[in-house]
Amino acid sequence: QERLVESGGGLVQAGGSLRLSCKVSGIDFNRNAMAWFRQAPGKQREMVAVIRSSGGTLYSDSVKGRFTISRDNAADTFDLQMNSLEPEDTAVYFCKTGQSLGSVLSPTMGYWGQGTQVTVSS
């Protein structure tokens, strides 16, 4: 019973910060890659950040330097710290996991959370 549960979304003013969390159950957390995606109105879903089992990270150019992905293997959770938020960051944010980098980057592979709304006001 693979399950991902997200928390931490909400409304924040431009320049503010939010921290999203994803609780993972039913998988071997320590072996999997973890990722955050987002989908804004009228846009395709896009990768925001990835953290591999080794702890290595990848970020999209639009968030690099502002967002930080991290994982806590003991707690089976991973987070996305979002700083210096901009209205363009407004989107539904999804967490997901997969057994490989290719799996987490594929829109049709891996396991997805339900999504949480992040709204940044100007």
Side-chain angles (χ1 to χ4, degrees), residues 19-94:
R19 188 176 185 91
L20 306 182
S21 295
C22 184
K23 172 66 177 179
V24 181
S25 60
I27 66 166
D28 191 341
F29 183 94
N30 294 355
R31 295 183 180 182
N32 275 28
M34 309 290 167
W36 289 95
F37 286 72
R38 68 185 182 186
Q39 188 165 19
K43 296 184 179 180
Q44 300 277 72
R45 190 172 298 186
E46 65 173 347
M47 186 274 292
V48 175
V50 178
I51 186 164
R52 302 170 71 173
S53 59
S54 64
T57 58
L58 299 170
Y59 296 93
S60 67
D61 290 341
S62 61
V63 308
K64 192 172 185 178
R66 300 187 297 120
F67 292 9
T68 303
I69 188 170
S70 60
R71 64 191 292 161
D72 185 341
N73 288 348
D76 292 344
T77 61
F78 67 103
D79 294 350
L80 184 69
Q81 178 65 46
M82 304 183 293
N83 298 327
S84 301
L85 284 162
E86 305 167 352
E88 292 75 19
D89 296 316
T90 295
V92 177
Y93 284 71
F94 301 86

